[in-house]
Amino acid sequence: MWRRREWSGPASPKGRLARARRLIAAACVLVAALGGPALAEDDAVSLAKQKSLTDTPDGPKEQLRKFGIDVDVWITQFEQGITSGAINRTARYGGVMDTFLRVDGEKLGFWKGLKFNAQYEHYFGRNVNRQDLALLPVNVAQAFIERDGYHSALSMTLTQEFSEQFSVTIGKFNMLTLAAQTPLVGGGGIETFMNRSFALPSTGIGVNSPESVADRLIIAPPYLLGGVAALKTKFFDLKLMVADPRNALQPRVIQRPFERGIGAGLMLTVPVEIGGLNGFHTFRVAYSNARGFDLEDIGETARIAQLRGITKKGYRFVSYAIQQYLMQSATDPKVGWGVFTLATLSDGNPNPVKWSVVAGLAGNNLMTGREDDRWGVGYYHYRLSPLLLSGLAARRINRRSEGGVEAFYNFAVTRWLRLSGDVQIIDPWNPLRARASYLGLRLQTIF
């Protein structure tokens, strides 16, 4: 009979070390297999270059694409440990399975411009989130579907492209997947940075609630129900998103959409070329008329029993981001590395984060033969609202703003097999805890 404990793996340090060794050994075995004599040289080259393990020439996936159906399965495994600074030094093994379905309606016999996308995620194992007393999850890919919460999530969107310049998309959006499309820095926690500050920056328009006052307060729902209108021109890209500001992972959002208000965001991206190198400047504003917990009332201990009824209407948020290539491939302008930065500012009430800044270097390794490798190093700081900090202090809960650094290297064994090493150092928002450090391994296989 299946039991949860079977997924969690051995609890002893030797058991956790053995899992890490097995993860690395699996990658080494596949490397050896690709270079060994068992495969003909041409077959080995073809296997190494194909997009996924099962995407063989004239195979089932290629045949399905002729009918407008594209399917991918990603399995990402994590072995991540807290080496210092937390209550207990611990390591956890777990992972996420992502299944993607993309349908081209025109090829399938419907009308031109119709697109359908679905993503199913399933969690397995465990993770170190919430074991460290940090504000931001250090493994965002496992932060929202997890052992003690939702085990899976399904996102679906329907797009109508009216022209090459204008399209409309409606449905349930996976914001981690959207963040993964960001130039240089990427997102989603699967291929680039693992910390939420880089992989899913705050949108500032989600609904906060009193029961989360002393927990993780970053407002950026990982799943949103709504619609996006996109306009692409030679000089700029413009997107307008209207969504329910609550986390669409909750069934009530699907059953009763927009019952607590509506959120809207406008994003303008302008391409800028400097010295022949591509760059992107993105300005975003967002507003929601939803009600959130009024941070001015945190310190009024006499009204603790009535906290659920104390609300403040309206979330306001602005951000500015830059991605600028410093080096680019001569054959593919999307391959290169450069600098990225993101600065955000909010009203500070009911938004619990007054401002934040993220900056670093990231991109591809441009050494010959290693162009598919990705790397990055970044710094973040989240400045919490003074109202939040003073209110918590009045209730004898001492907290502070949080900052940290992260670096990773993603080694492409093949295009469909990637092994990453990751290190993070964080000054947690709990001032009673020392600076924490984390080491992680990540193995991604695309089928």
Side-chain angles (χ1 to χ4, degrees):
M1 183 176 179
W2 182 86
R3 297 178 298 172
R4 285 184 186 271
R5 189 175 179 179
E6 294 174 359
W7 287 104
S8 62
S12 67
K14 291 183 178 179
R16 292 192 291 266
L17 181 60
R19 288 198 302 267
R21 288 173 176 171
R22 287 197 297 269
L23 188 150
I24 298 173
C28 294
V29 168
L30 283 168
V31 173
L34 291 176
L39 289 175
E41 184 176 350
D42 291 344
D43 292 337
V45 172
S46 177
L47 180 62
K49 291 185 176 181
Q50 61 194 41
K51 294 174 58 177
S52 68
L53 179 60
T54 59
D55 199 358
T56 55
D58 296 321
K61 293 183 73 171
E62 187 171 317
Q63 297 300 321
L64 281 173
R65 281 196 289 268
K66 294 179 181 179
F67 294 94
I69 301 174
D70 194 6
V71 180
D72 275 323
V73 177
W74 297 1
I75 295 181
T76 309
Q77 304 173 70
F78 301 90
E79 179 73 25
Q80 190 176 26
I82 307 171
T83 58
S84 66
I87 298 177
N88 296 309
R89 297 184 183 183
T90 185
R92 298 284 172 83
Y93 167 79
V96 177
M97 180 189 74
D98 292 280
T99 302
F100 299 90
L101 171 64
R102 294 171 287 271
V103 178
D104 186 323
E106 183 180 8
K107 290 184 178 180
L108 204 58
F110 294 93
W111 54 89
K112 182 178 180 180
L114 181 66
K115 311 284 185 181
F116 173 78
N117 287 274
Q119 179 181 355
Y120 173 76
E121 305 162 85
H122 185 77
Y123 169 93
F124 60 90
R126 306 179 72 186
N127 63 77
V128 298
N129 294 326
R130 297 184 177 86
Q131 304 298 315
D132 52 5
L133 299 180
L135 174 65
L136 297 163
V138 296
N139 185 345
V140 71
Q142 293 185 286
F144 309 112
I145 49 172
E146 56 180 341
R147 178 184 179 183
D148 299 323
Y150 295 98
H151 275 68
S152 59
L154 177 64
S155 304
M156 296 186 293
T157 61
L158 189 66
T159 300
Q160 179 60 56
E161 297 176 349
F162 295 95
S163 67
E164 293 184 358
Q165 291 77 34
F166 182 68
S167 66
V168 174
T169 303
I170 59 172
K172 179 182 174 182
F173 294 85
N174 184 320
M175 303 305 290
L176 283 165
T177 301
L178 293 182
Q181 301 172 15
T182 307
L184 296 176
V185 65
I190 298 295
E191 293 184 329
T192 58
F193 293 96
M194 293 175 61
N195 191 288
R196 182 175 180 173
S197 60
F198 305 102
L200 184 62
S202 176
T203 60
I205 61 170
V207 176
N208 62 350
S209 55
E211 55 266 28
S212 66
V213 166
D215 196 10
R216 299 176 182 238
L217 296 158
I218 304 304
I219 303 302
Y223 304 89
L224 284 177
L225 180 69
V228 175
L231 176 65
K232 297 181 180 181
T233 73
K234 180 181 179 180
F235 304 103
F236 64 86
D237 290 352
L238 185 65
K239 292 183 179 179
L240 172 64
M241 185 172 196
V242 178
D244 190 309
R246 298 170 295 172
N247 183 1
L249 196 59
Q250 302 168 2
R252 188 177 181 89
V253 177
I254 307 299
Q255 297 165 1
R256 298 184 179 182
F258 304 104
E259 70 173 353
R260 289 193 61 182
I262 189 170
L266 186 67
M267 184 171 69
L268 174 68
T269 299
V270 180
V272 176
E273 188 174 296
I274 300 177
L277 299 170
N278 293 339
F280 305 90
H281 293 238
T282 302
F283 178 73
R284 185 158 58 91
V285 295
Y287 173 77
S288 172
N289 65 353
R291 290 187 175 273
F293 179 66
D294 192 341
L295 300 179
E296 290 186 350
D297 294 303
I298 293 179
E300 297 186 21
T301 55
R303 302 174 64 185
I304 289 179
Q306 302 175 341
L307 282 179
R308 292 180 179 273
I310 304 173
T311 61
K312 183 177 185 295
K313 185 176 182 179
Y315 293 78
R316 295 169 181 83
F317 176 88
V318 297
S319 70
Y320 183 67
I322 299 174
Q323 292 88 33
Q324 177 61 51
Y325 283 93
L326 302 180
M327 295 287 290
Q328 279 184 280
S329 168
T331 57
D332 186 354
K334 293 182 180 180
V335 175
W337 63 269
V339 62
F340 66 87
T341 183
L342 168 67
T344 73
L345 178 66
S346 81
D347 47 52
N349 186 23
N351 275 300
V353 178
K354 182 62 178 179
W355 58 265
S356 69
V357 62
V358 172
L361 296 169
N364 302 90
N365 184 342
L366 295 183
M367 293 178 60
T368 303
R370 302 274 17 116
E371 292 86 355
D372 288 332
D373 291 4
R374 301 191 69 173
W375 63 274
V377 57
Y379 164 82
Y380 76 89
H381 183 85
Y382 272 61
R383 172 60 176 170
L384 299 183
S385 167
L387 290 174
L388 171 64
L389 295 177
S390 61
L392 291 176
R395 297 177 61 183
R396 298 182 180 180
I397 302 175
N398 293 321
R399 291 294 184 266
R400 63 182 178 186
S401 300
E402 183 171 290
V405 296
E406 180 180 3
F408 75 92
Y409 191 91
N410 187 327
F411 179 81
V413 182
T414 68
R415 295 183 67 185
W416 45 266
L417 181 68
R418 293 177 171 271
L419 179 65
S420 302
D422 184 88
V423 59
Q424 300 181 45
I425 301 174
I426 297 172
D427 286 325
W429 77 316
N430 187 333
L432 301 179
R433 299 300 172 187
R435 179 175 295 169
S437 60
Y438 310 78
L439 293 176
L441 287 174
R442 176 178 55 189
L443 182 65
Q444 180 194 32
T445 309
I446 302 177
F447 293 93

